[in-house]
Amino acid sequence: MMMFPELFQVFMLGLFLFPPVFFIYKKAGLHPGWSALVFLPVFGMLLIFLQLALTPWPGRRDKLEHRP
C-alpha cells in the first residue's frame, strides 16, 4: 500500500508542472495536448524536453523564413 502516496505525489507534481508546459507548447505553435506527458513519471518530462529541443517549432518557422 505504499504505492498510493507515490502516485499522489506524481499527480500533484504533474498538476504543478502542467500549466507552464501547456503554455510553452501553445506559444511554440505545437499542440498543447502534449503537455499531458507531465503525468508520466520520469519519462514524461524527458519526452517533453526531447520534443521541444528536437522538433522545429511552427511558431518560429515563419520568422526564420522572412529574414532579410
Side-chain angles (χ1 to χ4, degrees):
M1 283 294 151
M2 286 305 236
M3 199 160 115
F4 179 72
E6 292 170 4
L7 288 177
F8 182 71
Q9 288 176 350
V10 168
F11 181 72
M12 292 305 292
L13 183 64
L15 285 178
F16 181 71
L17 293 174
F18 183 78
V21 173
F22 181 86
F23 288 117
I24 289 171
Y25 270 102
K26 196 171 177 181
K27 215 161 177 89
L30 300 169
H31 193 278
W34 285 104
S35 58
L37 287 173
V38 297
F39 293 105
L40 284 176
V42 181
F43 296 111
M45 287 304 291
L46 178 66
L47 290 173
I48 288 171
F49 289 146
L50 286 173
Q51 185 181 27
L52 289 174
L54 300 176
T55 58
W57 291 15
R60 179 86 170 127
R61 195 177 302 144
D62 56 340
K63 290 181 183 176
L64 293 175
E65 290 174 356
H66 297 296
R67 216 190 245 174

